[in-house]
Amino acid sequence: MLNRQAVSARAFGRAAGRSRSSVRVMASAKPLTFSKYQGLGNDFILVDNRHTSEPVVTPEQAVKICDRNFGIGGDGVIFALPPVGDTDLTMRIFNSDGSEPEMCGNGIRCLAKFVSDIDNAAPRKYKIHTLAGLIQPEMLADGQVRVDMGTPILEGPKVPTTLAPTQGSTVVQQDLVVEGKTYKVTCVSMGNPHAVIYSCDGEPIKIDDLDKELAALGPKFERNAVFPARTNTEFVEVISRSHVRMVVWERGAGRTLACGTGACALVVAGILEGRVDRNQVCRVDLPGGPLQIEWRQSDNHIYMTGPAELVFSGQLRA
């Protein structure tokens, strides 16, 4: 694993044979100091932006930074911003396509680890303001990060989706026809929208069979008219009542190796569908590795535990 490696846009430009202007991402001549972190392969460029309330990078610049051929490469750019109210800091994120999601589960683990590292802090809990509300990650002594993700949003219009509710105001195993196949969709928001799918045409999802179709199938769910804010989509295979396997198509990022909010949403959906038990921690195997997810009955909160690791740090020069 690389550590403290300096990176410059000039070097990117020379390597790619492109002009300096084609890789310029900063609005001024001041270099962008960054660190790249990953959580189960879901990778982000982290920026300490606590000196000002607005991100120092624009969405258009974030697209260039996230380019895996001509930029640093990543699924998004995450900013540690000044706190709001009784919090420690604020999180904002620009996806690799320049869109701004409400929150990111793997990203907030990376943010907590990033701030802990640069502040040289002992293991502690952080109160982080996000567009999805208050999220509280906690650095554990073993280096893992446990995140109190709050309560899931289950009312269909608040997810949001226009699919008809099947259980009160909740959309559970509702039919959605895509490319001639009928998928049973359960809709959950973890502050961002998720469509969770355990079965298609009456048969359980098999990840190995679906894997090759994801690049073509994912966008058809993400931009389906029944999801007015677009959606993240998780396809899930049940291994046991406390162990599932998934692949994800993320809104604004496409196929990724992991999605923390998606792992939380699919456990909620699995419990609502009667496929997963609520009285225990569920292991969720993502392409990048496992997360531990618990939907506690005591407070109705979702808890996610998983890793966040530094890949390298450096400066991106104008």
Side-chain angles (χ1 to χ4, degrees), residues 279-300:
N279 59 352
Q280 58 190 340
V281 175
C282 182
R283 171 174 168 154
V284 179
D285 288 344
L286 305 98
L291 288 173
Q292 305 297 322
I293 309 296
E294 180 184 8
W295 187 12
R296 291 185 186 170
Q297 291 183 316
S298 59
D299 59 8
N300 206 38

Side-chain angles (χ1 to χ4, degrees), residues 174-219:
Q174 180 59 279
D175 289 348
L176 180 61
V177 178
V178 176
E179 293 291 282
K181 296 182 178 180
T182 301
Y183 295 85
K184 293 288 188 180
V185 178
T186 296
C187 297
V188 177
S189 172
M190 293 302 305
N192 57 352
H194 293 269
V196 182
I197 299 161
Y198 278 87
S199 67
C200 173
D201 286 342
E203 296 296 327
I205 292 292
K206 297 295 183 183
I207 297 300
D208 291 339
D209 295 340
L210 180 128
D211 202 45
K212 294 179 181 178
E213 303 176 27
L214 187 61
L217 192 59

Side-chain angles (χ1 to χ4, degrees), residues 154-156 159 161 163-176 183-188 196 198-199 268-275 295:
L154 302 178
E155 296 87 350
V159 171
T161 180
L163 286 170
T166 57
Q167 293 184 11
S169 61
T170 305
V171 178
V172 179
Q173 291 188 287
Q174 180 59 279
D175 289 348
L176 180 61
Y183 295 85
K184 293 288 188 180
V185 178
T186 296
C187 297
V188 177
V196 182
Y198 278 87
S199 67
V268 172
I271 291 169
L272 294 176
E273 294 187 19
R275 302 175 188 273
W295 187 12

